[in-house]
Amino acid sequence: VHASCPIELSSASVVVRYGDPVSVNCSTSESLFEGMGWEAPQGGTGIEKVNHLSWTVPRLTEWDISPSCYINPSPMNAFKQCFLNLKVVLYTFPETISINSSSGSDGVMNEREQYNFTCDIPKIAPVQNLTVKWYKGDKIVYTETFDNPSKKPVNQSSVFSFTPTRQDDGVAFRCEAHLDLGPKERQHIVSSQEYNITINFGPDVQCSSPEVLEGEPLEKLCSVTGRPTQFVRWLKDGQPTDPTVPLSRENAGLYTIEVGGLSFTQKELRVLVLYGPELMCPSNYTALEYAPHNLTCTVEGYPKPETIWYKDGEEVELPENLTRSDTGQYLITASNNLSIVSLKVEINVIYPPSQIVELEDSEVDVGSTMWLKCSSTGNPRPKYFWNYYRTANVMEENEDGVSRLLIHNATAYNMGSYTCHAWNDRGNVSKTARVTVKGAKQECPIEITPDRMVIQYQNGGQHATCKTGSTSSSNIEGDVYWQVLPGIKLNSTNLFVDAHKDWDLRPVCIATFKGIRTCEKYLNVTLYKTPDSVSIRHVDKVSSVVEEREFQLQCDITNVAPAQNLTVRWYQGNETIEPLIKGSLQVSGCLPENSTNCNLTVIRSPVNVSSTVSITLNRKHNGAEFRCEAQLDLGPEGPQPPPNTMSSPLNITVYYKPIINTTKLPATIPVFRGYPEELICEAEGYPPPKIQWLYSTDKVPHVYANTLIVSEAGFYNCTATNEVDSISREVKVILKG
């Protein structure tokens, strides 16, 4: 078609059912042309001089029709003769379609065999617009389209292949024909009748576990499924047997099940007949300890029962030779997965007391209550006796073959060992447990008077007495004595402590008690000596310091004991400059790594010690006086008040940098012509600063000490210098008048 053909169709394409009327208009907007017309086997027209012309057919039956509208130009026109083709889709659609199967009209199929379903669609055109959909139930399982280009009606078939399983039994199949003639046209759909199928399958034999309870029938073991089923037959040892008869334990054995149907199948089963346990035991049995026993129990059942012996709720195994611990009542159970039965057997074993149980090391909070329990089994029943450090807060009781100790309001004196003895005519045993009292320290029931001595070195001596507590006499095992040196025993409870001998005095009183065993208590002896001297010095060995720089003072204390009781105070004038300094002392000349000789908590003999303090001073402290004081605080048993020793004073000179007096030396000073002005430069500092004026060489001022007399304008610089620092100030002189 020429791109500039001046004609237009009312519709580019039409869809018409076979035998229905059709009409399409062809028009032009041209005014100069010879005429227009339709060319078609049905409804064609001659050329007519009109602006629009219709192609009309009352009953369209031509399948391959393709009408064209054309226009003839006049000699005046620029276009040539041209035409437009009308697309005509002529269709026919059946009212019914049919479905059939290769299995026959009854719909019976065998499982796992392939069958073909055929859907017949008669007189359908155009077939390339046809879609066939296959349904299994409500689900689409297959869709088929066709590429036949024929426009004329054809009889079309669609084939769907299907292999059934037993799950498809009773399922309905159908096919649907869909004629799709375009998005603007109604879609034509027709469905076949439903085709129901019946599936022959099996037979299948499903057998569960080959176990059957005694009294249940054989047929319960297997289920048979299939269509059709012709027969089910059971055999044992090749002989038919009735599967409905209840089985007994004697009927266990090898069985065969045979099933006939679509095919023949058989299955072998070794059938097990289950029955619960049956138990027989004597109710009482007596044995001698360590002698072999002949106690036997019989048990039957299938599956084979498990036999378990219990004693006191715990599972046990009965040994070949019984011992004292085997006495008691036993529960014997026999069980399988069907049931459980039990019997009780009383076993009595004659034996001496067993090892003591339930007596263990124990811990109790101070002030709390606890029980100690001693239990021994024997035949005849054992008797008990306790050995321990006896105090008023401990009570004994024996009941039901068990002995108990009640410790009420526990104290340190209840700490120790507790031995329980158990005996009968066959023998005896004993056991010891230790009791710990939390919150209390193990007390040795020894009293020393006085409990602490503080004696000045080479200043006489003092007596001490050692004895046991008021409740301890019945608990003593052996002597009470003093030991002054290792291996040296004094057969006396009295001791004289001599202050002229050893610095490391450690006398100890020793005694042995029930439950506590041997214990000892040391006499706390402190032998002291006041310092020979206390002195103060600068650590860097100088007598002066620079302002705001930290420096250290050291206090040296010579020949003092014990140094761990020493406290050092520091004074500036009559006021302390730091709180009490304790624990910062060091043994003079001692290296830190030499821990034994440097540890003041260990050293008891006289030593030289020192204390150091760091101080930062300012100019106000120039000429300040410092002292240190050593105090030997030996507690309430020592001399009161505690002995003090003060050092001689140490005077400190503080050096500080100069500060120029800016009040007397302003930054700007006016000078009137003919009237000289004094520039006064004064500076404070230590050592006293040296003043120097600097000015231009063309100036001729008059210098007098620290004063500069000027009469000329300019800049004048004053510098104050001492050993610490140097500072300058510039003055601007302005000439007026």
Side-chain angles (χ1 to χ4, degrees):
V1 178
H2 198 276
S4 60
C5 190
I7 56 177
E8 183 177 346
L9 299 179
S10 59
S11 178
S13 64
V14 291
V15 177
V16 184
R17 190 181 187 95
Y18 181 81
D20 284 354
V22 62
S23 180
V24 177
N25 186 51
C26 180
S27 61
T28 182
S29 59
E30 284 290 328
S31 58
L32 297 176
F33 63 97
E34 288 185 354
M36 60 188 303
W38 282 92
E39 186 178 293
Q42 275 187 284
T45 67
I47 187 166
E48 297 182 23
K49 185 66 172 70
V50 294
N51 291 94
H52 58 85
L53 184 64
S54 294
W55 174 69
T56 302
V57 179
R59 186 173 181 271
L60 186 61
T61 58
E62 183 66 41
W63 290 100
D64 293 321
I65 194 168
S66 180
S68 297
C69 178
Y70 61 90
I71 184 171
N72 289 336
S74 69
M76 304 287 294
N77 287 114
F79 65 89
K80 298 179 181 180
Q81 184 190 40
C82 60
F83 61 89
L84 286 179
N85 288 331
L86 172 64
K87 181 181 179 182
V88 178
V89 178
L90 187 60
Y91 75 93
T92 180
F93 189 71
E95 292 184 1
T96 61
I97 60 175
S98 62
I99 184 173
N100 58 77
S101 169
S102 60
S103 66
S105 60
D106 59 358
V108 176
M109 300 180 177
N110 293 334
E111 186 178 34
R112 297 188 179 86
E113 292 184 13
Q114 182 171 298
Y115 297 87
N116 290 331
F117 286 100
T118 302
C119 184
D120 293 318
I121 304 100
K123 295 182 181 180
I124 182 74
V127 71
Q128 64 181 355
N129 291 72
L130 175 66
T131 300
V132 178
K133 296 182 180 180
W134 286 90
Y135 286 84
K136 177 183 175 184
D138 294 328
K139 183 179 179 183
I140 296 175
V141 293
Y142 179 63
T143 300
E144 186 175 8
T145 58
F146 306 91
D147 55 6
N148 187 347
S150 175
K151 295 183 179 181
K152 296 181 180 180
V154 296
N155 294 326
Q156 185 65 51
S157 296
S158 175
V159 178
F160 168 55
S161 296
F162 175 67
T163 302
T165 65
R166 65 193 65 189
Q167 287 77 22
D168 298 316
D169 187 50
V171 170
F173 285 82
R174 64 184 176 90
C175 60
E176 277 185 359
H178 294 244
L179 190 62
D180 188 358
L181 298 171
K184 296 183 179 180
E185 299 298 324
R186 177 176 69 88
Q187 192 176 50
H188 300 272
I189 302 174
V190 64
S191 178
S192 72
Q193 76 279 14
E194 288 188 345
Y195 188 97
N196 292 291
I197 64 173
T198 301
I199 309 301
N200 286 340
F201 62 92
D204 289 337
V205 180
Q206 298 292 333
C207 296
S208 58
S209 170
E211 297 177 343
V212 62
L213 292 176
E214 190 173 33
E216 291 184 341
L218 191 63
E219 63 183 359
K220 182 181 178 182
L221 290 176
C222 300
S223 63
V224 178
T225 57
R227 181 188 295 117
T229 300
Q230 296 175 353
F231 66 86
V232 178
R233 183 167 52 238
W234 285 85
L235 300 95
K236 182 183 181 188
D237 300 328
Q239 298 299 318
T241 184
D242 186 354
T244 64
V245 175
L247 297 178
S248 65
R249 62 191 72 176
E250 293 81 10
N251 298 132
L254 184 64
Y255 287 79
T256 302
I257 180 174
E258 297 179 344
V259 182
L262 186 62
S263 62
F264 174 81
T265 186
Q266 67 177 15
K267 183 174 288 189
E268 284 191 347
L269 290 174
R270 183 162 295 281
V271 177
L272 306 174
V273 179
L274 311 181
Y275 60 99
E278 298 171 356
L279 177 64
M280 290 177 289
C281 286
S283 59
N284 292 282
Y285 185 80
T286 302
L288 296 176
E289 187 176 30
Y290 303 123
H293 70 84
N294 58 358
L295 175 60
T296 58
C297 294
T298 60
V299 61
E300 292 183 358
Y302 192 86
K304 183 179 179 181
E306 180 185 17
T307 303
I308 302 177
W309 289 64
Y310 293 92
K311 182 184 179 186
D312 300 328
E314 299 289 335
E315 183 177 338
V316 297
E317 289 187 8
L318 200 65
E320 293 183 3
N321 297 325
L322 298 176
T323 65
R324 65 196 71 183
S325 61
D326 298 319
T327 295
Q329 187 181 73
Y330 290 78
L331 176 67
I332 306 167
T333 65
S335 63
N336 58 19
N337 55 6
L338 299 179
S339 63
I340 181 171
V341 295
S342 63
L343 290 176
K344 291 182 179 178
V345 177
E346 190 75 35
I347 297 179
N348 183 28
V349 180
I350 299 175
Y351 53 88
S354 65
Q355 292 299 318
I356 292 172
V357 295
E358 300 187 77
L359 179 61
E360 304 293 341
D361 292 347
S362 302
E363 189 175 72
V364 62
D365 291 326
V366 65
S368 297
T369 298
M370 71 167 293
W371 287 92
L372 289 179
K373 185 177 180 181
C374 179
S375 176
S376 173
T377 58
N379 198 358
R381 176 181 286 181
K383 298 179 182 180
Y384 298 96
F385 169 75
W386 288 86
N387 186 15
Y388 60 96
Y389 185 81
R390 299 182 181 274
T391 56
N393 64 336
V394 180
M395 297 176 57
E396 297 181 22
E397 70 174 39
N398 296 300
E399 184 178 359
D400 295 331
V402 177
S403 182
R404 295 179 177 85
L405 286 185
L406 172 63
I407 301 176
H408 177 71
N409 193 19
T411 69
Y413 289 106
N414 298 123
M415 297 176 71
S417 60
Y418 291 73
T419 302
C420 176
H421 301 270
W423 81 94
N424 65 8
D425 295 339
R426 302 294 300 273
N428 65 83
V429 293
S430 64
K431 186 176 182 180
T432 300
R434 180 164 185 81
V435 172
T436 303
V437 180
K438 285 177 64 177
K441 186 179 179 181
Q442 175 74 64
E443 290 287 347
C444 183
I446 294 176
E447 295 178 1
I448 296 178
T449 307
D451 59 350
R452 181 170 183 249
M453 289 183 180
V454 178
I455 308 173
Q456 189 172 9
Y457 181 62
Q458 293 187 344
N459 189 17
Q462 192 172 343
H463 287 276
T465 302
C466 173
K467 64 179 181 178
T468 60
S470 58
T471 62
S472 303
S473 57
S474 61
N475 294 312
I476 296 176
E477 294 179 342
D479 298 330
V480 180
Y481 60 91
W482 282 99
Q483 180 176 288
V484 180
L485 295 173
I488 300 178
K489 175 181 176 181
L490 301 179
N491 293 320
S492 174
T493 57
N494 294 316
L495 174 69
F496 178 74
V497 180
D498 191 349
H500 293 79
K501 294 185 177 180
D502 191 3
W503 279 97
D504 195 16
L505 293 173
R506 298 180 185 271
V508 58
C509 180
I510 301 174
T512 302
F513 299 90
K514 294 178 180 177
I516 300 177
R517 305 299 182 193
T518 300
C519 69
E520 58 188 29
K521 184 174 286 188
Y522 282 89
L523 172 61
N524 188 350
V525 178
T526 300
L527 198 60
Y528 75 93
K529 179 185 178 304
T530 57
D532 289 350
S533 66
V534 176
S535 60
I536 186 173
R537 63 185 177 87
H538 196 293
V539 171
D540 296 330
K541 299 181 180 180
V542 297
S543 60
S544 62
V545 297
V546 177
E547 181 182 34
E548 303 301 334
R549 293 185 188 174
E550 185 180 85
F551 76 104
Q552 289 184 321
L553 293 178
Q554 180 169 308
C555 185
D556 296 319
I557 303 105
T558 60
N559 208 26
V560 63
Q564 62 176 317
N565 294 84
L566 197 63
T567 300
V568 175
R569 287 189 178 88
W570 292 90
Y571 294 90
Q572 179 187 336
N574 293 322
E575 296 182 0
T576 56
I577 59 173
E578 270 198 39
L580 211 60
I581 298 176
K582 192 170 185 179
S584 62
L585 293 173
Q586 290 185 341
V587 178
S588 299
C590 183
L591 296 177
E593 58 269 16
N594 192 355
S595 58
T596 302
N597 295 332
C598 299
N599 190 349
L600 292 178
T601 62
V602 176
I603 302 173
R604 297 165 65 93
S605 58
V607 291
N608 298 333
V609 295
S610 63
S611 174
T612 304
V613 66
S614 296
I615 304 174
T616 301
L617 300 180
N618 57 40
R619 62 194 63 195
K620 295 179 181 179
H621 297 103
N622 190 26
E625 184 179 85
F626 292 88
R627 292 173 296 147
C628 64
E629 179 185 53
Q631 182 183 80
L632 203 57
D633 188 354
L634 300 166
E637 297 83 3
Q640 299 298 329
N644 296 328
T645 306
M646 184 75 75
S647 72
S648 299
L650 174 66
N651 292 316
I652 298 296
T653 300
V654 180
Y655 284 16
Y656 54 93
K657 66 182 180 181
I659 296 177
I660 295 175
N661 188 338
T662 58
T663 302
K664 292 186 176 182
L665 189 62
T668 303
I669 297 178
V671 176
F672 292 92
R673 194 179 302 276
Y675 294 92
E677 186 72 26
E678 289 185 350
L679 304 184
I680 302 173
C681 184
E682 292 182 355
E684 180 187 1
Y686 197 86
K690 178 182 178 182
I691 303 299
Q692 181 179 5
W693 284 96
L694 297 176
Y695 42 84
S696 176
T697 55
D698 60 346
K699 309 298 181 187
V700 189
H702 179 69
V703 180
Y704 176 71
N706 295 341
T707 301
L708 190 68
I709 301 174
V710 298
S711 58
E712 297 177 90
F715 290 94
Y716 298 84
N717 190 295
C718 174
T719 301
T721 305
N722 66 6
E723 296 177 14
V724 180
D725 202 355
S726 177
I727 189 169
S728 299
R729 182 170 178 81
E730 186 178 69
V731 178
K732 181 179 179 181
V733 175
I734 301 172
L735 188 62
K736 293 188 175 182

